[in-house]
Amino acid sequence: MDHLIELSPIEINGHTFLAVSVLLPKTTLLAVSNDKGYIMCGALDVGLLNEKLKDRKIIAGRAVGVRTIEQLLNAPLESVTWEAEALGIHPGMIGKDALLKMI
């Protein structure tokens, strides 16, 4: 069996982020984060973050149909939290560009 959880630092324009892959039955959870926010695969529930957890002010974006960290970094975000929008992150923005707004 391959590694179930893989953590690796990645660099984007001189800034370091943490990439996380979690292998689960029939799916892989993907996320890239720093201390301010993160982007994640389709498993992220943006509605939950915006509504039930709005007091946490979570900065996050969701990309769907991605299977690797590289795809997550290069995919357009399908949805973002209200806190992400306040930073200038919007649906359609490429994942790595959204991460750079979280610096």
Side-chain angles (χ1 to χ4, degrees):
M1 183 182 286
D2 289 335
H3 297 300
L4 295 177
I5 299 174
E6 187 176 304
L7 305 170
S8 57
I10 58 170
E11 192 171 301
I12 303 169
N13 290 1
H15 301 282
T16 302
F17 296 86
L18 180 62
V20 181
S21 300
V22 181
L23 299 178
L24 298 172
K26 302 181 185 178
T27 193
T28 302
L29 297 180
L30 302 167
V32 179
S33 67
N34 68 0
D35 60 349
K36 195 168 190 181
Y38 58 93
I39 60 173
M40 192 172 168
C41 64
L44 180 65
D45 187 341
V46 170
L48 174 79
L49 298 181
N50 279 339
E51 294 159 23
K52 298 204 185 294
L53 302 178
K54 66 182 170 190
D55 57 317
R56 296 185 189 183
K57 301 182 187 241
I58 295 170
I59 298 167
R62 174 182 188 240
V64 295
V66 295
R67 298 183 184 276
T68 66
I69 292 294
E70 190 65 30
Q71 288 176 358
L72 177 59
L73 292 172
N74 292 294
L77 298 178
E78 176 265 346
S79 55
V80 302
T81 61
W82 297 329
E83 291 297 319
E85 284 182 353
L87 284 181
I89 299 166
H90 53 80
M93 179 177 275
I94 299 302
K96 61 182 156 187
D97 293 338
L99 288 168
L100 290 172
K101 293 244 180 216
M102 298 178 197
I103 300 300

